[in-house]
Amino acid sequence: MSSAVAYYRVSTQRQGRSGLGIESQRVAIARFAEAERIRIIQEFTEVETGKGSDALDRRPQLAAALSQARQAKCPVIVAKLDRLSRDVAFIAGLMVQRVPFIVAELGADADPFMLHLYAALAEKERRLISERTKAALASRKSIGTRLGNPTNAAEAAAKGRLVSVEGADRFAQTVLPIIGSIQRSGVTSLRGMAVALNNRGVRTARGGQWQVSNVRNLLRRSTTDEGCFNRREIAATIG
């Protein structure tokens, strides 16, 4: 039986005090470790944001987990990749530490290249959410609406929906290459693609699990080849 160090993180003091998030991470890692016959030799828990280039300096428990894993010559296990960070540069910096990471959600076989890919998707998702939020607020301000005031709410909502649509289109173009790879592997049904995306740890734009409807909606947004699809293939896929 191999060994590993477990690392848990939440980003707010309130979550840290209540245990929300920590317990679910602990359960996920425990189940993964049991299935993979891994013994957790030590656990480290952090209450700190994952943002910023100096995030590692502000996360002493992660530094301690890295040190312990280095001494024990074993990997660090996290429940989800975003418990490390959604920042590609930060993930790359962790790889330099020469301590292997295992993401329970992605499976034991996820190599550093896959971790970088998923981190890039997570970073893109975070940026899209931020852009949509800022654009929606700017739209409301531009039409003279005071934030928190229901006046002109319909117009602001319409502009907010437009921003959401544009963000969804950008997100679709990020995920389409992955779906293209899944199709080329022989998976052609919407249900099969949804299962494959979930198995790869790819999240929807809202951070959820993929369903048939999510895949269908995403494919319908694509009207150009983008190196993965053409219109005939998409029409055949979604009917």
Side-chain angles (χ1 to χ4, degrees):
M1 177 177 288
S2 59
S3 300
V5 171
Y7 175 74
Y8 317 113
R9 182 181 69 85
V10 290
S11 57
T12 67
Q13 290 291 338
R14 183 175 64 181
Q15 287 179 329
R17 289 192 299 267
S18 68
L20 293 174
I22 293 294
E23 189 55 36
S24 63
Q25 293 174 53
R26 182 174 284 111
V27 169
I29 289 179
R31 289 175 178 172
F32 174 82
E34 181 179 5
E36 297 292 333
R37 296 184 57 78
I38 297 174
R39 180 171 61 94
I40 303 300
I41 60 175
Q42 196 165 348
E43 297 179 321
F44 295 86
T45 301
E46 197 107 64
V47 180
E48 180 57 79
T49 180
K51 297 179 181 179
S53 59
D54 62 340
L56 185 58
D57 295 334
R58 292 183 283 103
R59 291 162 65 177
Q61 291 302 302
L62 177 55
L66 289 169
S67 177
Q68 178 62 37
R70 194 176 294 109
Q71 292 178 17
K73 297 182 179 180
C74 69
V76 173
I77 298 182
V78 295
K80 297 183 177 183
L81 185 60
D82 64 5
R83 295 306 84 199
L84 288 176
S85 179
R86 291 188 178 94
D87 187 281
V88 176
F90 184 82
I91 296 296
L94 289 179
M95 298 304 169
V96 177
Q97 302 289 326
R98 298 188 180 279
V99 174
F101 283 92
I102 297 177
V103 180
E105 185 180 50
L106 301 181
D109 297 329
D111 57 25
F113 173 77
M114 290 180 64
L115 295 184
H116 278 84
L117 175 62
Y118 291 127
L121 288 171
E123 183 180 276
K124 178 70 173 180
E125 179 183 349
R126 184 187 67 188
R127 186 163 57 249
L128 289 175
I129 292 173
S130 176
E131 289 175 356
R132 287 197 296 267
T133 301
K134 291 178 180 178
L137 292 174
S139 295
R140 297 189 66 181
K141 288 182 178 180
S142 69
I143 60 176
T145 302
R146 294 168 56 187
L147 297 182
N149 190 326
T151 304
N152 296 326
E155 291 86 345
K159 289 195 175 185
R161 285 193 295 271
L162 177 60
V163 171
S164 296
V165 169
E166 292 173 347
D169 287 340
R170 290 193 295 269
F171 178 76
Q173 297 309 316
T174 301
V175 180
L176 282 172
I178 301 175
I179 292 182
S181 173
I182 292 171
Q183 281 194 323
R184 288 191 293 273
S185 72
V187 178
T188 57
S189 70
L190 295 174
R191 186 173 301 279
M193 285 186 278
V195 171
L197 285 167
N198 291 328
N199 288 342
R200 294 189 182 197
V202 180
R203 295 293 182 174
T204 65
R206 296 186 177 182
Q209 293 281 311
W210 289 89
Q211 306 294 334
V212 169
S213 59
N214 300 127
V215 179
R216 181 186 295 111
N217 292 340
L218 184 140
L219 291 178
R220 281 176 174 165
R221 290 184 178 278
S222 177
T223 57
T224 59
D225 188 0
E226 292 296 333
C228 297
F229 298 96
N230 60 44
R231 295 182 182 182
R232 182 177 299 176
E233 290 174 335
I234 293 171
T237 300
I238 65 180

